[in-house]
Amino acid sequence: MRVAESEGADDRKPRSDEARSAFAAPPGVETAGPPEEEQPTSEFAVPEGLAAVPSEPEGSAFARPSTYSAQHSPPAYRPGHGFPVSPMTDSPWQDRMRTMLRMPVGERPVPEATKPEEGGPAVGRVLDLTLRIGELLLSGGESAEDVEAAMFAVSRSYGLDRCEPTVTFTMLSITHQPSLVANPVTASRTVRRRGTDYNRLAAVYRLVADLSTPDAGISMEEAYRRLAEIRRNRHPYPTWVLTAAAGLLAGAASTLVGGGVLVFFAAALGAVLGDRLAWLSAGRGLPEFYQFTVAAMPPAAIGVAMSLMHADVKSSAVITGGLFALLPGRALVAAVQDGLTGFYITAAARLLEVMYLFIGIIVGVLVVLYLGLQLGSPTDPENVLRITERPLVQIAASMVLVLTFAVLLQQERSTVLMVTLNGGVAWVIFGAMHYAGGIPPVPSTAVAAGVVGLFGQLLSRYRHTSALPYVTAAIGPLLPGSATYYGLLSIAENQLNKGLGSLINAVTVALAIAIGVNLGAEVSRLFLRIPGAAKRAAAKRTRGF
């Protein structure tokens, strides 16, 4: 029986090496017992002999991950290309916030520390303070990019590191994402009123700068108190000073384009009457379109009256001076700057606003010019563009124009002198290129505006404030008042082709001013090195992909 059993067992054994596994243990080697569990182990299991790091038990890929606070966050992310994200504490807050806004959310460094309040401020209050500060900046004419940078700075100063501000022409919103799995918190605010007050704008910039300073330690109550003081702050100049400044601006502009003493006072009187009519219209609740329309009529009426009386003066300079005081250069610069930095919706809305205001001026002047032609007012369109070269008088007139423009913009008294010098330098460059060098007005204007933007950005960095007070008034002498009036006069005489061509030329000069100002500011940011500042990344939204 044993022999038979052994023979049967030999029959069940493999007859060749093909049926034997390559991993079979050779004879004489002890084999391990069968595994306790037949299920395969994960490739992420901790190898035998290594101590497992104490952590939460492993779960599904859809399990809720652990979160961390801003105080106990991991170190700042270092991108793959080797550029370290530094705290950038030595650079102005505008540069730091612009740089981080253009980073992906995962690459932004977390805030250094939150304000020393027990338990930290509530998210809702931080977002409300952020929106109120953004509203003051946007209503004051600041560009959308700078408004976003200020809102981002305020939210980060109170420890909200995952915030995304959004700015459009009439709407501000900000979203805070506490963690990857928590519900986001969103707040918004509508901007319904706009007013030009660069003194208030500078105060808001100082508040944001103080909030962005790590060692300042400004509490939420202190920030709200300072914000309320800014809102209640009285204008630096009374109403009668603003009215007188409007008259002096028009008089200086009329002198700039060839007017004499009589033309100076006539243009000043027309601008004062137009300013009072605009104030009256605003008090009645009329839109800005009608305010600009009625403000353009008195200077045009005085110029037509002087033509009807055959006065031996350049009556067209009276109307041109009135146009200088009304052209919306501030809104145009902000619109072009928003477009060049990628905020196309806001730029389109601001350009539409500029177009409506410009059409309002055209309507007011055209109505008066048409009535003057019906009454037999003599016209000499070619005399409008014929400007007598008086370098010293024109330089003085340009500086008076810039000074009065700064007063109308409610600038701080400490900035009026610097912006006046900036405008005088711009006119000297334009006169040297256009009158002495024979260069066309568009490139000459663009170069002069670029110098304005460059100096304005350098001055704003030195003073740690907005660049608008140093730029907006300085471009006043470069505005295309003569080309605008020549186009309107040609249209009134039924010469549509010539009139539209001159208006297009005026729009081209205005765009050259805006682009030159923005280019000068970008050149200063490109070549001005600040210790500890990270390189400013380009806006990805403008790359086309």
Side-chain angles (χ1 to χ4, degrees), residues 48-369:
E48 185 179 356
L50 294 180
V53 180
S55 61
E56 295 182 2
E58 182 181 0
S60 171
F62 300 97
R64 181 187 298 269
S66 60
T67 60
Y68 59 87
S69 62
Q71 295 91 338
H72 305 89
S73 60
Y77 175 75
R78 180 183 293 270
H81 50 79
F83 178 72
V85 177
S86 62
M88 299 178 289
T89 55
D90 297 331
S91 60
W93 65 264
Q94 298 98 317
D95 291 341
R96 286 184 279 138
M97 296 304 112
R98 287 194 194 99
T99 301
M100 283 188 283
L101 273 175
R102 293 181 174 185
M103 291 180 183
V105 178
E107 296 183 12
R108 295 174 184 170
V110 297
E112 298 295 331
T114 57
K115 291 293 179 291
E117 292 188 10
E118 183 179 356
V123 173
R125 296 191 67 197
V126 174
L127 298 184
D128 178 71
L129 176 66
T130 302
L131 290 174
R132 291 179 182 273
I133 290 178
E135 179 190 9
L136 285 179
L137 293 176
L138 187 62
S139 62
E142 193 61 83
S143 65
E145 184 183 32
D146 290 334
V147 175
E148 279 197 1
M151 294 173 63
F152 193 64
V154 174
S155 62
R156 285 180 60 85
S157 65
Y158 288 101
L160 304 186
D161 57 326
R162 303 180 67 89
C163 284
E164 286 295 335
T166 304
V167 176
T168 59
F169 186 58
T170 58
M171 179 69 71
L172 298 169
S173 64
I174 185 169
T175 301
H176 171 58
Q177 184 80 30
S179 66
L180 294 177
V181 295
N183 295 326
V185 180
T186 302
S188 62
R189 195 173 183 87
T190 302
V191 179
R192 303 188 183 277
R193 297 183 60 186
R194 289 179 176 81
T196 304
D197 188 347
Y198 285 175
N199 183 40
R200 178 180 297 176
L201 191 69
V204 176
Y205 260 75
R206 285 193 293 268
L207 174 59
V208 177
D210 292 342
L211 290 175
S212 303
T213 304
D215 300 332
I218 299 178
S219 64
M220 182 67 64
E221 285 71 19
E222 175 68 15
Y224 268 108
R225 185 190 64 79
R226 290 182 57 177
L227 188 62
E229 290 180 355
I230 293 173
R231 286 182 176 275
R232 293 193 302 264
N233 188 22
R234 296 178 60 86
H235 298 307
Y237 309 102
T239 303
W240 68 269
V241 173
L242 299 180
T243 302
L248 289 176
L249 190 155
S254 65
T255 305
L256 196 65
V257 295
V261 178
L262 182 59
V263 171
F264 178 92
F265 286 105
L269 177 61
V272 168
L273 293 177
D275 180 76
R276 289 295 88 196
L277 285 177
W279 277 96
L280 181 61
S281 302
R284 298 291 181 178
L286 291 178
E288 277 190 310
F289 177 86
Y290 301 105
Q291 297 177 28
F292 275 74
T293 300
V294 298
M297 287 182 175
I302 293 178
V304 169
M306 294 177 69
S307 297
L308 290 173
M309 292 185 298
H310 300 281
D312 189 17
V313 293
K314 190 177 181 180
S315 58
S316 61
V318 178
I319 305 177
T320 304
L323 291 177
F324 268 90
L326 295 176
L327 292 177
R330 172 186 59 85
L332 180 65
V333 171
V336 174
Q337 183 175 358
D338 286 341
L340 294 177
T341 52
F343 295 85
Y344 300 117
I345 297 178
T346 307
R350 281 182 166 170
L351 285 176
L352 188 62
E353 179 191 31
V354 171
M355 184 189 72
Y356 271 105
L357 298 180
F358 193 68
I359 291 176
I361 298 172
I362 290 175
V363 170
V365 175
L366 276 181
V367 168
V368 177
L369 289 180

